Amino acid sequence: RKKRRMPSENNRFQLGTIGALTLSVVSSVSIVICNKALMSTLRFNFATTLTSWHLLVTYCSLHVALLMKFFDHKPIDFQTVIGFGILNGTSIGLLNLSLGFNSVGFYQMTKLAIIPCTVLLETVFLNKTFSGKIKLSLGILLLGVGIATVTDMQLNALGSFLSLLAVLTTCVAQIMTNTIQKKFKISSTQLLYQSCLYQALTLIISGPFVDNLLTGQNVFSFDYTQRVVVFIVLSCLISISVNFSTFLVIGKTSPVTYQVLGHLKTCLVLAFGYALLQDPFHWRNILGIIVALVGMILYSYYCTRETSVQ
């Protein structure tokens, strides 16, 4: 009887994973398009403060969902939750600072470095093993994304230091997202609800200072026209799905798979920009996207094969 139930449980898990991945891609691409309009067209360049509002709205929506009994509250260790929330908020702020103090090309290299760093940390500290085929597919993926996105590579000491901190905090935060869910046997929704407020508070306090440092403008003195407010509200609403799907994907798969998915989103955003927004592109961009997609397909194939064998 156990053997008969296993395929259906496995099918449900696979359907849940596919749903989480799809939700993550659709919501992330949607919010990028919305934020691009908000920042490029309407000149609202306060990314860190905007993220703090995203997290605050996500927390409020989850609190309403809890009151309506859509999920159960399962308290976990307070120090773990607050430490995890502050770490997540800090990693977001550092990524924004990395983008502000580096060239776009070096920032893209910073994002690419998250995958090998995650693999290294999981191998050293969690004794996790990655097969040669998985590593090869990840190498092809990183090569493709690098060809498609990395242009200039201007280095500076402060920018490099901020990038190093951003990579480390992001890797640790994403590994913790996976390990906390498994250790305390809680769902992605329960972890997001408990940590979201601390992430929001970290960025609400630091956001205006970080944004002022990067833009030279004060978020409180910005001219909030009706159009700007509409796009901010839309961005916050989409962010609920983005934040929820992030925890869902990492909990159902792994931090490395989430990063692979992130690079798929990058390729989709680039392709969307070329096809519909008529952004300028070069043969390198198209070649890079194709190589990256080959790497993603190989990664998915080898992960599925290795999971089915276990």
Side-chain angles (χ1 to χ4, degrees), residues 9 21 28 50 52 66 76 78 80 99 105 109 125 143 163 179 191 204 220 229 244-245 269 272 284 303 309:
E9 288 173 8
L21 294 171
S28 295
L50 181 62
S52 72
L66 179 66
I76 59 175
F78 177 74
T80 301
L99 177 58
M109 286 300 296
F125 294 104
L143 175 65
S163 291
T179 53
L191 178 59
I204 285 170
F220 301 110
V229 172
F244 174 71
S245 62
V269 169
F272 178 87
R284 276 185 58 205
C303 276
V309 169

mmCIF file of all heavy atoms in Angstrom, residues 9 21 28 50 52 66 76 78 80 99 105 109 125 143 163 179 191 204 220 229 244-245 269 272 284 303 309:
data_model
loop_
_atom_site.group_PDB
_atom_site.id
_atom_site.type_symbol
_atom_site.label_atom_id
_atom_site.label_comp_id
_atom_site.label_asym_id
_atom_site.label_seq_id
_atom_site.Cartn_x
_atom_site.Cartn_y
_atom_site.Cartn_z
ATOM 1 N N GLU A 9 1.804 10.950 -4.089
ATOM 2 C CA GLU A 9 2.435 11.975 -3.251
ATOM 3 C C GLU A 9 3.532 12.684 -4.034
ATOM 4 O O GLU A 9 3.684 13.899 -3.948
ATOM 5 C CB GLU A 9 3.015 11.328 -1.983
ATOM 6 C CG GLU A 9 1.945 10.886 -0.982
ATOM 7 C CD GLU A 9 2.538 10.109 0.180
ATOM 8 O OE1 GLU A 9 3.778 10.053 0.277
ATOM 9 O OE2 GLU A 9 1.761 9.563 0.982
ATOM 10 N N LEU A 21 7.186 27.488 -8.976
ATOM 11 C CA LEU A 21 8.141 28.039 -9.941
ATOM 12 C C LEU A 21 7.440 28.982 -10.916
ATOM 13 O O LEU A 21 7.950 30.068 -11.222
ATOM 14 C CB LEU A 21 8.828 26.905 -10.707
ATOM 15 C CG LEU A 21 9.738 25.977 -9.895
ATOM 16 C CD1 LEU A 21 10.174 24.791 -10.731
ATOM 17 C CD2 LEU A 21 10.960 26.721 -9.369
ATOM 18 N N SER A 28 7.592 37.797 -10.577
ATOM 19 C CA SER A 28 8.853 38.532 -10.613
ATOM 20 C C SER A 28 9.011 39.342 -11.895
ATOM 21 O O SER A 28 9.456 40.497 -11.850
ATOM 22 C CB SER A 28 10.039 37.566 -10.473
ATOM 23 O OG SER A 28 10.029 36.961 -9.199
ATOM 24 N N LEU A 50 11.095 51.369 -1.288
ATOM 25 C CA LEU A 50 9.995 50.678 -1.966
ATOM 26 C C LEU A 50 9.925 49.223 -1.514
ATOM 27 O O LEU A 50 8.836 48.688 -1.267
ATOM 28 C CB LEU A 50 10.186 50.756 -3.487
ATOM 29 C CG LEU A 50 9.098 50.084 -4.342
ATOM 30 C CD1 LEU A 50 7.742 50.751 -4.117
ATOM 31 C CD2 LEU A 50 9.473 50.126 -5.826
ATOM 32 N N SER A 52 10.859 48.053 1.364
ATOM 33 C CA SER A 52 10.329 48.023 2.740
ATOM 34 C C SER A 52 8.801 48.102 2.720
ATOM 35 O O SER A 52 8.128 47.446 3.518
ATOM 36 C CB SER A 52 10.911 49.180 3.566
ATOM 37 O OG SER A 52 10.380 50.434 3.182
ATOM 38 N N LEU A 66 -4.166 35.143 8.116
ATOM 39 C CA LEU A 66 -4.119 34.383 9.364
ATOM 40 C C LEU A 66 -5.427 34.531 10.129
ATOM 41 O O LEU A 66 -5.972 33.541 10.650
ATOM 42 C CB LEU A 66 -2.949 34.864 10.225
ATOM 43 C CG LEU A 66 -2.783 34.185 11.590
ATOM 44 C CD1 LEU A 66 -2.431 32.712 11.417
ATOM 45 C CD2 LEU A 66 -1.718 34.897 12.416
ATOM 46 N N ILE A 76 7.957 29.877 16.307
ATOM 47 C CA ILE A 76 9.270 29.233 16.388
ATOM 48 C C ILE A 76 10.198 30.145 17.184
ATOM 49 O O ILE A 76 9.813 31.245 17.579
ATOM 50 C CB ILE A 76 9.872 28.929 14.990
ATOM 51 C CG1 ILE A 76 10.031 30.217 14.167
ATOM 52 C CG2 ILE A 76 9.035 27.921 14.242
ATOM 53 C CD1 ILE A 76 10.727 29.994 12.845
ATOM 54 N N PHE A 78 12.262 32.776 18.820
ATOM 55 C CA PHE A 78 12.232 34.213 18.548
ATOM 56 C C PHE A 78 13.565 34.721 17.994
ATOM 57 O O PHE A 78 13.599 35.509 17.043
ATOM 58 C CB PHE A 78 11.874 34.973 19.838
ATOM 59 C CG PHE A 78 11.897 36.468 19.677
ATOM 60 C CD1 PHE A 78 10.885 37.127 18.979
ATOM 61 C CD2 PHE A 78 12.932 37.221 20.217
ATOM 62 C CE1 PHE A 78 10.899 38.505 18.827
ATOM 63 C CE2 PHE A 78 12.960 38.605 20.070
ATOM 64 C CZ PHE A 78 11.940 39.241 19.377
ATOM 65 N N THR A 80 15.837 33.105 16.337
ATOM 66 C CA THR A 80 16.011 32.630 14.958
ATOM 67 C C THR A 80 15.245 33.509 13.979
ATOM 68 O O THR A 80 15.779 33.927 12.949
ATOM 69 C CB THR A 80 15.516 31.171 14.825
ATOM 70 O OG1 THR A 80 16.256 30.342 15.719
ATOM 71 C CG2 THR A 80 15.686 30.660 13.402
ATOM 72 N N LEU A 99 24.626 47.709 -6.360
ATOM 73 C CA LEU A 99 24.241 48.242 -7.665
ATOM 74 C C LEU A 99 24.592 49.728 -7.761
ATOM 75 O O LEU A 99 25.039 50.207 -8.799
ATOM 76 C CB LEU A 99 22.745 48.042 -7.898
ATOM 77 C CG LEU A 99 22.160 48.606 -9.203
ATOM 78 C CD1 LEU A 99 22.870 48.011 -10.416
ATOM 79 C CD2 LEU A 99 20.665 48.345 -9.280
ATOM 80 N N GLY A 105 27.662 46.004 -15.040
ATOM 81 C CA GLY A 105 28.352 44.756 -15.358
ATOM 82 C C GLY A 105 28.887 44.054 -14.121
ATOM 83 O O GLY A 105 28.737 42.836 -13.971
ATOM 84 N N MET A 109 27.854 40.452 -12.249
ATOM 85 C CA MET A 109 28.824 39.447 -11.810
ATOM 86 C C MET A 109 28.587 39.087 -10.338
ATOM 87 O O MET A 109 28.747 37.928 -9.942
ATOM 88 C CB MET A 109 30.256 39.970 -11.991
ATOM 89 C CG MET A 109 30.726 39.987 -13.435
ATOM 90 S SD MET A 109 30.714 38.340 -14.212
ATOM 91 C CE MET A 109 31.937 37.492 -13.231
ATOM 92 N N PHE A 125 29.436 23.444 4.901
ATOM 93 C CA PHE A 125 28.768 23.506 6.207
ATOM 94 C C PHE A 125 27.581 22.548 6.358
ATOM 95 O O PHE A 125 27.219 22.187 7.473
ATOM 96 C CB PHE A 125 28.306 24.943 6.479
ATOM 97 C CG PHE A 125 29.434 25.919 6.637
ATOM 98 C CD1 PHE A 125 29.756 26.808 5.611
ATOM 99 C CD2 PHE A 125 30.201 25.946 7.802
ATOM 100 C CE1 PHE A 125 30.806 27.698 5.742
ATOM 101 C CE2 PHE A 125 31.253 26.839 7.940
ATOM 102 C CZ PHE A 125 31.563 27.715 6.913
ATOM 103 N N LEU A 143 27.715 30.984 -17.596
ATOM 104 C CA LEU A 143 28.384 31.491 -18.792
ATOM 105 C C LEU A 143 27.393 32.241 -19.676
ATOM 106 O O LEU A 143 27.675 33.360 -20.149
ATOM 107 C CB LEU A 143 29.015 30.329 -19.569
ATOM 108 C CG LEU A 143 29.652 30.682 -20.927
ATOM 109 C CD1 LEU A 143 30.853 31.608 -20.718
ATOM 110 C CD2 LEU A 143 30.067 29.423 -21.677
ATOM 111 N N SER A 163 29.755 44.349 -2.535
ATOM 112 C CA SER A 163 29.314 43.195 -3.325
ATOM 113 C C SER A 163 29.607 41.885 -2.596
ATOM 114 O O SER A 163 28.785 40.964 -2.592
ATOM 115 C CB SER A 163 29.996 43.193 -4.696
ATOM 116 O OG SER A 163 29.528 44.257 -5.475
ATOM 117 N N THR A 179 16.613 25.728 5.392
ATOM 118 C CA THR A 179 16.908 24.912 6.581
ATOM 119 C C THR A 179 15.921 25.166 7.719
ATOM 120 O O THR A 179 15.543 24.235 8.430
ATOM 121 C CB THR A 179 18.347 25.164 7.079
ATOM 122 O OG1 THR A 179 18.548 26.570 7.277
ATOM 123 C CG2 THR A 179 19.371 24.652 6.084
ATOM 124 N N LEU A 191 6.741 30.884 7.845
ATOM 125 C CA LEU A 191 8.052 31.528 8.021
ATOM 126 C C LEU A 191 8.024 32.957 7.506
ATOM 127 O O LEU A 191 8.548 33.877 8.154
ATOM 128 C CB LEU A 191 9.130 30.722 7.288
ATOM 129 C CG LEU A 191 10.552 31.320 7.352
ATOM 130 C CD1 LEU A 191 11.029 31.471 8.787
ATOM 131 C CD2 LEU A 191 11.536 30.457 6.555
ATOM 132 N N ILE A 204 12.761 49.792 6.543
ATOM 133 C CA ILE A 204 12.084 51.072 6.799
ATOM 134 C C ILE A 204 13.036 52.037 7.504
ATOM 135 O O ILE A 204 13.068 53.242 7.217
ATOM 136 C CB ILE A 204 10.802 50.850 7.643
ATOM 137 C CG1 ILE A 204 9.699 50.245 6.762
ATOM 138 C CG2 ILE A 204 10.309 52.162 8.263
ATOM 139 C CD1 ILE A 204 8.490 49.775 7.536
ATOM 140 N N PHE A 220 10.965 61.432 1.228
ATOM 141 C CA PHE A 220 9.819 62.105 1.840
ATOM 142 C C PHE A 220 9.453 63.411 1.134
ATOM 143 O O PHE A 220 8.352 63.930 1.320
ATOM 144 C CB PHE A 220 10.091 62.362 3.321
ATOM 145 C CG PHE A 220 10.371 61.114 4.101
ATOM 146 C CD1 PHE A 220 11.643 60.854 4.599
ATOM 147 C CD2 PHE A 220 9.370 60.167 4.324
ATOM 148 C CE1 PHE A 220 11.903 59.699 5.320
ATOM 149 C CE2 PHE A 220 9.624 59.006 5.032
ATOM 150 C CZ PHE A 220 10.902 58.766 5.535
ATOM 151 N N VAL A 229 1.543 57.119 -7.261
ATOM 152 C CA VAL A 229 0.885 56.365 -6.178
ATOM 153 C C VAL A 229 0.252 55.084 -6.721
ATOM 154 O O VAL A 229 0.355 54.016 -6.098
ATOM 155 C CB VAL A 229 -0.180 57.234 -5.469
ATOM 156 C CG1 VAL A 229 -0.993 56.393 -4.483
ATOM 157 C CG2 VAL A 229 0.488 58.397 -4.746
ATOM 158 N N PHE A 244 5.900 35.683 -1.363
ATOM 159 C CA PHE A 244 5.336 34.377 -1.030
ATOM 160 C C PHE A 244 5.982 33.275 -1.874
ATOM 161 O O PHE A 244 6.386 32.231 -1.364
ATOM 162 C CB PHE A 244 3.823 34.402 -1.248
ATOM 163 C CG PHE A 244 3.166 33.064 -1.069
ATOM 164 C CD1 PHE A 244 3.049 32.494 0.185
ATOM 165 C CD2 PHE A 244 2.681 32.357 -2.170
ATOM 166 C CE1 PHE A 244 2.448 31.241 0.356
ATOM 167 C CE2 PHE A 244 2.084 31.120 -2.006
ATOM 168 C CZ PHE A 244 1.969 30.568 -0.749
ATOM 169 N N SER A 245 6.104 33.518 -3.186
ATOM 170 C CA SER A 245 6.650 32.496 -4.085
ATOM 171 C C SER A 245 8.131 32.251 -3.831
ATOM 172 O O SER A 245 8.624 31.136 -4.029
ATOM 173 C CB SER A 245 6.414 32.886 -5.552
ATOM 174 O OG SER A 245 7.067 34.089 -5.878
ATOM 175 N N VAL A 269 13.108 38.803 -18.761
ATOM 176 C CA VAL A 269 12.979 40.268 -18.729
ATOM 177 C C VAL A 269 13.737 40.884 -19.903
ATOM 178 O O VAL A 269 13.247 41.803 -20.571
ATOM 179 C CB VAL A 269 13.485 40.836 -17.388
ATOM 180 C CG1 VAL A 269 13.599 42.363 -17.455
ATOM 181 C CG2 VAL A 269 12.556 40.437 -16.253
ATOM 182 N N PHE A 272 11.814 40.114 -23.059
ATOM 183 C CA PHE A 272 10.617 40.960 -23.086
ATOM 184 C C PHE A 272 10.980 42.379 -23.524
ATOM 185 O O PHE A 272 10.292 42.994 -24.344
ATOM 186 C CB PHE A 272 9.971 40.995 -21.700
ATOM 187 C CG PHE A 272 8.749 41.878 -21.622
ATOM 188 C CD1 PHE A 272 7.495 41.384 -21.940
ATOM 189 C CD2 PHE A 272 8.851 43.208 -21.230
ATOM 190 C CE1 PHE A 272 6.360 42.184 -21.864
ATOM 191 C CE2 PHE A 272 7.733 44.022 -21.152
ATOM 192 C CZ PHE A 272 6.491 43.514 -21.473
ATOM 193 N N ARG A 284 25.396 39.324 -28.815
ATOM 194 C CA ARG A 284 25.858 38.719 -27.556
ATOM 195 C C ARG A 284 24.686 38.422 -26.631
ATOM 196 O O ARG A 284 24.667 37.397 -25.946
ATOM 197 C CB ARG A 284 26.810 39.677 -26.831
ATOM 198 C CG ARG A 284 28.263 39.616 -27.307
ATOM 199 C CD ARG A 284 29.123 40.507 -26.441
ATOM 200 N NE ARG A 284 29.033 40.110 -25.042
ATOM 201 C CZ ARG A 284 29.255 40.934 -24.021
ATOM 202 N NH1 ARG A 284 29.525 42.197 -24.238
ATOM 203 N NH2 ARG A 284 29.179 40.489 -22.793
ATOM 204 N N CYS A 303 18.596 17.367 -12.316
ATOM 205 C CA CYS A 303 17.957 17.395 -10.982
ATOM 206 C C CYS A 303 16.805 16.384 -10.938
ATOM 207 O O CYS A 303 16.663 15.651 -9.956
ATOM 208 C CB CYS A 303 17.400 18.804 -10.694
ATOM 209 S SG CYS A 303 18.646 19.922 -10.026
ATOM 210 N N VAL A 309 16.031 8.915 -8.878
ATOM 211 C CA VAL A 309 16.877 7.772 -8.535
ATOM 212 C C VAL A 309 16.925 7.570 -7.020
ATOM 213 O O VAL A 309 16.985 6.449 -6.523
ATOM 214 C CB VAL A 309 18.322 7.972 -9.087
ATOM 215 C CG1 VAL A 309 19.274 6.932 -8.516
ATOM 216 C CG2 VAL A 309 18.307 7.865 -10.598
#
